[in-house]
Amino acid sequence: FTSGGMVTSSSVPLTWSSEENSNATVYEILNQTTSTWVIATTTELSYTVSNISPNTEYTFGLRGIEVTTGEYSSTITYTTTTLPLVPTAPSGLTVSLRTSTSLTLDWTDNASGQSQETSVAVLRSTDDSTYSTVATIGADSTFYTLSELTPNKIYYFKISAINAAGSGISLATST
């Protein structure tokens, strides 16, 4: 009894083999995390649980039913955590404290709750097309100072809030 594919922020695909419940012809999927005990009944060897919360640990149970006798098999379990939501992109990216070779970027952190970031990436470009990561900093950061920049050169910057589900990237600002 395992995940049968990619766990997302709102669904978990489950699969199992008939050997796990050898006499069963019908299967009940149980949500042992909530008070909704039986969430589905199927004759298939797979089921996708949907409409569940992001960034939450769930334990699912599976029991087989032998329809001629009505007997239940032992319940087997599988525990997984759904992905969080993709972080909300930072906003308000500005440049402050500028010198000829350094500058400080400031922004507003908009990621929280189910879309909380785990890190923040500072991206830099010289053509506003190809960006590379110049720093990865901690979650909830709202500024970063860059040094050793070339005087009189135009740079473009973006900030990316990152978690296991993906990234939210700010609009670019130039210097």
Side-chain angles (χ1 to χ4, degrees):
F1 186 44
T2 64
S3 175
M6 185 169 161
V7 175
T8 70
S9 61
S10 62
S11 66
V12 175
L14 303 171
T15 61
W16 56 91
S17 67
S18 59
E19 289 82 37
E20 293 172 294
N21 290 285
S22 59
N23 294 326
T25 52
V26 175
Y27 301 93
E28 288 184 338
I29 294 87
L30 318 167
N31 184 344
Q32 296 178 312
T33 306
T34 67
S35 58
T36 307
W37 187 245
V38 176
I39 56 174
T41 302
T42 182
T43 58
E44 303 296 321
L45 297 176
S46 65
Y47 182 79
T48 298
V49 180
S50 57
N51 298 318
I52 54 179
S53 298
N55 205 27
T56 304
E57 181 177 276
Y58 287 92
T59 298
F60 298 103
L62 173 74
R63 65 182 178 192
I65 305 169
E66 210 299 317
V67 290
T68 57
T69 64
E71 292 182 17
Y72 289 99
S73 68
S74 303
T75 300
I76 55 176
T77 61
Y78 172 72
T79 300
T80 190
T81 301
T82 53
L83 290 176
L85 298 174
V86 173
T88 305
S91 61
L93 179 58
T94 59
V95 177
S96 65
L97 303 174
R98 185 185 327 227
T99 70
S100 63
T101 60
S102 69
L103 58 82
T104 298
L105 298 171
D106 299 288
W107 60 88
T108 301
D109 175 15
N110 296 313
S112 64
Q114 299 291 0
S115 66
Q116 178 64 40
E117 78 270 21
T118 54
S119 64
V120 175
V122 178
L123 310 171
R124 180 176 66 195
S125 172
T126 56
D127 62 7
D128 197 22
S129 178
T130 305
Y131 283 82
S132 59
T133 301
V134 294
T136 301
I137 56 180
D140 301 323
S141 298
T142 58
F143 70 93
Y144 184 76
T145 300
L146 292 108
S147 58
E148 300 181 17
L149 299 173
T150 303
N152 301 316
K153 186 170 189 172
I154 295 176
Y155 293 98
Y156 300 87
F157 296 96
K158 292 182 179 182
I159 305 300
S160 177
I162 303 166
N163 69 18
S167 60
I169 302 175
S170 71
L171 297 176
T173 191
S174 63
T175 62

